[in-house]
């Protein structure tokens, strides 16, 4: 499951670094959408130099102005000053732009900005997005992980950026009539000879592989099947690089063309004097009538269509897209006799049973010089009524279109009037008129409560102040010392000098809040009555306008709901979704299960139940970089399209293998046998491993020799040591060495620490202190001393074992790799690193003392430079030791079998 997510992340983002993808998946707690957001946001960059004309900022000296594009925007407002009116005007303009964008697209500016940032950040990684190597999903070694559960639909393996293939094929396969046509296709008789032309050379082999693929999707016991053989034939049809993402519409066009050619060969062989009928054409192709005026001359033309293209930009739902596609130019000119204008209307004359719409979600950005994806929201219904676009209903539709046009014009007038009520004022500051009247009423009803600001200042001054209450700082400066400080004999007293432009004047008494200064009770009564009446009138007018607007919207929505316009229903069968941006991305499909009445999500090898809500979230667009790319509708009255087959004799419904022709049934049976053999081999392998473990557990334990401290337990050849997870007896040996070293350290006391650490080890100690990054120097020195003692004790013990002659029932080499290394004269650096890894293992941390030693050992490992230990040689020595232990194990198991005959 995690591998599936990783491959999807790789396809969506173009990032091939597995560690980066795993970290993103971990940070997002397995949420694919959040992981994509993390990766794309992390890779976002500043626009490159070639985009400088698109995003331009002024020089530092003129940093108060910003220009977007080649010319400065006239609506740019300087917000660096203190003018609050500018700030209010900027907010109003921003809200106005946001509201306008939301009305046009159905999404907010923030959502659009997020989509643009994601788009740009992914596009910056063009080198990684245009993959040079196709990503092939690897199979799980356990075949039970690849086993089909019950009757769950079968998925398709992604064999190298082929999610586009899976999405289209699954949509067509789940169309039962199409499935029957492919499965029951038999090559023409003359095809047994050499193909007559290039079409036969290409199309007939593809049809053969497509039949095999469909048969496996029907009856395979595998969870997913491999489409490589069919994909290989398709590769020649595309001029682009094999590893590049293929366009869904391009592939679907090519696929239908090939199928049409293959069935045409068969139809021409079987025709009996009549014009051959091609079932692919009957199923997927329709006709429309183009009626128009070209330079004053009327024109009528009938054309055939397969996939119908629709523009997305500027429309909010599928009907708006269709209306725009069915009318071109000045449609008024179509009904006038003398007009030089040009216009055209399209009317469906014959709809195919399977109607496919291509949603054009890509456009070329001239400023950036690259294609961009359109993330606008576009809604589409599960049931689509197409009566309004039929040629037989053209007169009724024209009348309704004229009525809708008139209603929309009237709606625009009402919305403008409502806007004046909701945003009243002539300047940049606008408020709802109801609120303006309410504010005026509150102002008129307010009573003035007067006070002087100087009184407020005096009241807030310190109690020890000697200034008079009515004295201001400006007058103090002009008056000088107070009369008490000046001798009374002075005949001259300084007069106050008034400076009107530099001296602060005391304003007259002001009310604490805005209120009318002079208003009589009679005036107030009349004014309050008027404001109350006007406010009520405005509220009623606003409510009437809103109700009228809602009524008109409802009338437009129900314009085509009468019985005459709901006679051609088409049900949504499949939605092909694209996630990513214009140059790369990932495809999957939502397909409706008509038998179970539920939606299913087909995402390569994964097939899961889904809901309409999930489909809306992933397909409508506007909220993330995933949106519908192709819609497949089927005629809801043509039940044969989705009807199951029944046995003509018994009347029972045919399911699974019973629906396949005999040749395909044999083909699927052979493939199922191969898969069952995989399961049997896996079971046998597991049984053999279980038998070996059982036999090994019955082997008697080897007695430990008395002189050496041998640990009792299971036979030593069962141990499979790993340098990242040391075995039980190695942990115990390490802990014993640590305890012994600590005991010796305590007995000798701190004053003997320098005896333990030789002079030549001081450099190592200093380096370890640096790596430990701790301010507890004394404690760390003690830990280092204990570590060195433990290493020395353990090495001494292992050296003794290597030099002793072991008893017949015991081999000391099986006890520790270093014993094996010493006896085989391994380099000193190999032995030293092995010891360090033993003491630096995370599983050693039983208590604080062992944890401290473990940290010192890990620090010492970090100090080892790459050129000091040849890691290839190091791995080779340990692999030799593993081979030695495995050989011993096999020898002992073989002897046990031999003894038991």
């Amino acid at each position: 499951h995690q591998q599936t997510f990783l491959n999807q992340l790789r396809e969506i983002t173009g990032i091939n670094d597995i560690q980066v993808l795993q970290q993103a998946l971990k940070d997002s707690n397995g949420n694919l959408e959040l992981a994509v957001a993390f990766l794309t946001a992390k890779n976002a960059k500043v626009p490159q130099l070639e985009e400088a004309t698109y995003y331009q900022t002024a020089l530092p000296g003129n940093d108060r102005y910003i220009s977007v594009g080649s010319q400065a925007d006239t609506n740019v407002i300087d917000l660096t000053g203190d003018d609050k009116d500018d700030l209010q005007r900027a907010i109003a303009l921003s809200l106005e732009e946001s509201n306008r964008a939301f009305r046009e697209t159905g999404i907010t500016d923030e959502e659009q900005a997020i989509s643009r940032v994601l788009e740009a950040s992914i596009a910056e990684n063009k080198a990684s997005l245009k993959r040079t190597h196709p990503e092939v999903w690897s199979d799980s070694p356990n075949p039970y992980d690849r086993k089909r559960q019950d009757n769950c639909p079968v998925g398709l393996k992604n064999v190298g950026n082929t999610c586009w293939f899976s999405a289209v094929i699954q949509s067509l396969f789940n169309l039962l009539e199409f499935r029957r046509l492919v499965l029951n296709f038999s090559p023409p008789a003359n095809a047994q000879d050499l193909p007559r032309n290039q079409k036969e050379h290409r199309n007939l082999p593809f049809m053969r592989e497509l039949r095999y693929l469909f048969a496996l999707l029907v009856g395979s016991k595998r969870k997913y099947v491999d489409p490589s053989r069919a994909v290989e034939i398709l590769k020649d049809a595309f001029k682009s690089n094999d590893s590049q993402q293929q366009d869904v519409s391009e592939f679907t066009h090519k696929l239908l063309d090939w199928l049409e050619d293959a069935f045409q060969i068969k139809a021409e062989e079987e025709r009996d004097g009549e014009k051959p009928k091609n079932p692919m054409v009957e199923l997927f192709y329709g006709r429309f009538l183009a009626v128009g005026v070209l330079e004053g001359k009327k024109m009528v033309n009938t054309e055939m269509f397969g996939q119908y293209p629709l523009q997305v930009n500027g429309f909010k739902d599928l009907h708006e897209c269709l209306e725009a596609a069915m009318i071109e130019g000045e449609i008024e000119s179509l009904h006038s006799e003398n007009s030089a204008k040009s216009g055209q209307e399209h009317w469906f004359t014959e709809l195919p049973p399977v109607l496919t719409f291509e949603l054009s979600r890509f456009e070329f950005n001239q400023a950036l010089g690259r294609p961009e994806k359109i993330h606008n929201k576009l809604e589409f219904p599960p049931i689509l009524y197409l009566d309004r676009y039929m040629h037989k209903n053209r007169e009724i539709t024209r009348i309704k279109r004229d009525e809708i046009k008139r209603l929309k014009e009237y709606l625009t007038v009402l919305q403008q009037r409502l806007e004046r009520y909701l945003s009243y004022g002539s300047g940049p500051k606008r408020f709802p008129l109801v609120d303006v009247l309410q504010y005026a009423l509150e102002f008129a009803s307010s009573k003035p409560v007067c006070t002087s600001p100087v009184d407020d200042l005096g009241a807030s001054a310190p109690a020890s102040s000697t200034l008079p209450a009515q004295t201001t700082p400006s007058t103090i400066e002009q008056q000088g010392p107070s009369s008490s400080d000046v001798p009374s004999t002075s005949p001259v007293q300084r007069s106050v000098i008034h400076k009107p432009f530099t001296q602060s004047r005391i304003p007259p008494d002001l009310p604490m809040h805005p209120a009318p200064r002079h208003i009589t009770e009679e005036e107030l009564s009349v004014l309050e009555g008027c404001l109350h009446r006007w406010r009520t009138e405005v509220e009623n007018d606003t409510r009437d306008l809103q109700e009228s607007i809602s009524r008109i919207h409802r009338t437009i929505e129900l314009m085509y709901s009468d019985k005459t316009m709901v006679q051609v229903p088409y049900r949504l069968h499949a939605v092909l979704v694209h996630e990513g941006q214009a140059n790369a991305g990932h495809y999957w499909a939502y397909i409706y299960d008509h038998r179970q009445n539920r939606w299913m999500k087909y995402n390569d090898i994964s097939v899961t139940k889904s809901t309409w809500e999930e489909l809306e979230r992933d397909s409508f667009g506007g909220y993330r970089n995933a949106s519908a790319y192709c819609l497949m509708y089927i005629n809801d009255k043509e039940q044969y399209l989705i009807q199951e087959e029944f046995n003509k004799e018994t009347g029972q419904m045919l399911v699974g293998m019973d629906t396949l022709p005999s040749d395909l049934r044999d083909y699927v049976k052979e493939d199922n046998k191969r898969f069952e053999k995989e399961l049997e081999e896996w079971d046998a392998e597991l049984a053999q491993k279980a038998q070996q473990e059982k036999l090994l557990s019955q082997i008697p334990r080897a007695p430990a020799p008395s002189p050496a401290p041998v640990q009792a337990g299971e036979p030593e050849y069962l141990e499979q040591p790993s340098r990242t997870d040391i075995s039980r007896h190695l942990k115990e040996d390490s802990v014993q060495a640590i305890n012994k070293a600590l005991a010796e350290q305590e007995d000798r006391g701190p004053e003997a620490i320098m005896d333990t650490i030789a002079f030549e080890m001081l450099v190592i100690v200093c380096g370890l202190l640096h790596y430990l990054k701790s301010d507890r120097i004394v404690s760390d020195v003690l830990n280092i001393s204990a570590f060195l003692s433990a290493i020395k004790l353990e090495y001494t013990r292992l050296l003794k074992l290597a030099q002793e002659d072991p008893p017949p029932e015991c081999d000391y080499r099986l006890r520790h790799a270093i014993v094996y290394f010493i006896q085989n004269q391994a380099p000193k650096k190999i032995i030293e690193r092995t010891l360090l890894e033993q003491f630096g293992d995370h599983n050693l941390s039983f208590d604080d003392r062992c944890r401290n030693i473990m940290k010192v050992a890990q620090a010492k490992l970090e100090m080892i430079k790459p050129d000091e230990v040849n890691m290839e040689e190091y791995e080779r020595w340990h692999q030799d030791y593993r081979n030695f232990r495995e050989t011993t194990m096999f020898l002992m198991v073989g002897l046990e079998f031999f003894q038991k005959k």
Side-chain angles (χ1 to χ4, degrees), residues 19-45:
Q19 293 181 349
V20 174
L21 297 176
Q22 288 176 339
Q23 185 62 39
L25 202 59
K26 179 180 178 182
D27 293 342
S28 62
N29 293 324
N31 189 311
L32 189 63
E33 299 175 20
L34 287 177
V36 172
F38 289 159
L39 291 170
T40 52
K42 185 186 296 184
N43 293 330
K45 296 180 180 179

Side-chain angles (χ1 to χ4, degrees), residues 524-796:
L524 179 60
S525 176
V526 172
L527 184 57
E528 284 183 343
C530 291
L531 289 173
H532 274 297
R533 185 175 70 253
W534 294 340
R535 188 175 187 276
T536 303
E537 292 173 355
V538 168
E539 287 178 343
N540 292 336
D541 290 346
T542 302
R543 184 172 56 254
D544 291 342
L545 283 169
Q546 290 173 336
E547 290 176 355
S548 298
I549 290 172
S550 299
R551 194 162 49 248
I552 292 174
H553 276 303
R554 183 65 176 165
T555 303
I556 293 175
E557 289 176 1
L558 298 177
M559 186 65 69
Y560 294 101
S561 61
D562 52 280
K563 289 185 178 180
T564 59
M565 304 301 284
V566 289
Q567 300 301 311
V568 187
Y570 271 70
R571 181 178 295 276
L572 186 62
H573 166 69
V575 179
L576 277 63
V577 180
H578 174 266
E579 181 176 27
Q581 34 74 44
N583 293 329
H586 180 63
Y587 292 98
W588 68 85
Y590 289 100
I591 303 173
Y592 191 70
D593 186 340
H594 300 274
R595 186 178 175 186
Q596 301 290 336
N597 293 323
R598 68 188 180 195
W599 285 96
M600 301 291 291
K601 182 178 181 179
Y602 289 78
N603 192 353
D604 288 328
I605 66 173
S606 173
V607 182
T608 55
K609 297 177 184 178
S610 186
T611 61
W612 175 255
E613 290 71 25
E614 183 183 4
L615 186 151
E616 280 185 348
R617 186 180 67 250
D618 285 349
S619 306
F620 282 7
Y623 301 106
R624 43 184 294 223
N625 58 345
S627 54
Y629 191 76
C630 185
L631 306 177
M632 188 178 292
Y633 282 88
I634 60 175
N635 193 326
D636 204 31
K637 293 185 176 181
E638 303 289 352
Q639 289 300 311
Y640 75 95
L641 294 171
I642 55 175
Q643 195 169 22
E644 300 282 354
E645 286 186 85
F646 291 87
N647 190 304
K648 295 180 181 180
E649 298 178 357
T650 63
Q652 292 183 344
M653 186 174 67
L654 300 177
V655 294
M657 298 282 283
D658 295 335
T659 63
L660 299 178
S662 58
D663 62 324
L664 294 181
R665 196 180 302 123
D666 294 338
Y667 176 79
V668 175
K669 286 181 179 179
E670 288 297 322
D671 184 75
N672 286 339
K673 285 181 181 179
R674 288 192 292 271
F675 184 64
E676 288 172 356
K677 187 177 180 181
E678 284 187 52
L679 296 173
E680 292 173 359
E681 291 174 351
W682 178 264
D683 291 338
E685 184 179 351
L686 291 182
Q688 183 180 5
K689 290 181 179 178
Q691 181 68 17
Q692 288 181 1
E693 292 176 0
K694 183 179 179 181
L695 290 173
L696 293 174
S697 64
Q698 297 174 356
I699 298 177
R701 300 176 181 177
S706 53
V710 180
Q711 299 293 325
E714 297 177 349
E716 296 169 0
Y717 54 79
L718 293 179
E719 307 263 353
Q720 294 294 319
S722 169
R723 295 189 305 280
T724 59
D725 184 14
I726 59 179
S727 59
R728 174 179 50 80
H729 78 273
L730 288 185
K731 294 180 193 175
E732 295 176 357
D733 290 343
S734 302
V735 172
Q736 286 182 1
I738 292 172
N739 291 335
K740 188 174 181 181
L742 290 171
E744 290 183 358
Q745 190 180 83
E746 291 174 0
D747 293 339
R748 298 171 65 189
E751 67 278 358
I753 294 297
M754 293 308 296
D755 294 336
T756 304
I757 306 177
F759 179 79
E760 61 268 15
M761 299 297 291
L762 284 176
V763 177
I764 298 178
V765 173
C766 295
L768 287 171
L769 288 173
H770 171 72
Y771 270 85
L772 289 171
K773 294 181 175 64
S774 171
D775 53 359
R776 298 178 302 168
I777 303 299
V778 175
S779 175
D780 287 338
V781 170
L782 290 173
N783 291 333
I784 293 170
S785 172
F787 161 72
L788 296 175
S789 297
I791 285 280
K792 183 179 179 181
L793 288 171
E794 178 68 358
Y795 179 74
T796 302

Side-chain angles (χ1 to χ4, degrees), residues 407-441:
L407 288 173
K408 286 185 175 180
E409 290 175 352
Y410 183 46
L411 185 64
T412 302
V413 174
L414 293 181
Q415 287 173 337
Q416 290 174 350
R417 292 179 60 187
L418 180 63
E419 187 70 20
R420 297 192 191 104
Y421 280 93
L422 299 179
S423 182
Y424 186 79
S426 57
K429 298 179 182 179
R430 300 180 179 225
F431 304 94
L433 182 54
V434 174
D435 293 345
V436 173
L437 295 173
Q438 179 64 29
Y439 299 154
L441 180 61

Side-chain angles (χ1 to χ4, degrees), residues 386-427:
L386 295 170
D387 304 76
R388 70 184 80 174
Y389 311 109
M390 301 302 296
H391 183 257
K392 62 181 180 180
N393 299 326
R394 64 187 182 282
E395 296 301 331
I396 301 176
T397 301
R398 284 171 178 167
I399 293 173
K400 291 182 178 292
R401 282 177 179 171
D402 292 340
E403 179 65 14
I404 290 174
K405 182 179 179 182
R406 184 185 65 80
L407 288 173
K408 286 185 175 180
E409 290 175 352
Y410 183 46
L411 185 64
T412 302
V413 174
L414 293 181
Q415 287 173 337
Q416 290 174 350
R417 292 179 60 187
L418 180 63
E419 187 70 20
R420 297 192 191 104
Y421 280 93
L422 299 179
S423 182
Y424 186 79
S426 57

Side-chain angles (χ1 to χ4, degrees), residues 8 44 104 118 172 178 181 211 225 265 314 354 366 425 458 466 471 494 508 572 576-577 669 743 761:
Q8 290 178 5
E104 291 178 357
L118 292 176
L172 294 173
F178 181 84
L181 287 173
R211 289 182 74 237
V225 294
I265 297 171
V354 182
Q366 297 289 345
T466 59
T471 305
R494 298 180 62 184
L572 186 62
L576 277 63
V577 180
K669 286 181 179 179
M761 299 297 291

Side-chain angles (χ1 to χ4, degrees), residues 506-524:
I506 303 175
D509 290 348
L510 296 176
M512 293 180 64
H513 54 78
R517 287 180 172 275
H518 305 289
I519 185 170
T520 64
E521 292 294 331
E522 183 179 357
E523 290 173 338
L524 179 60

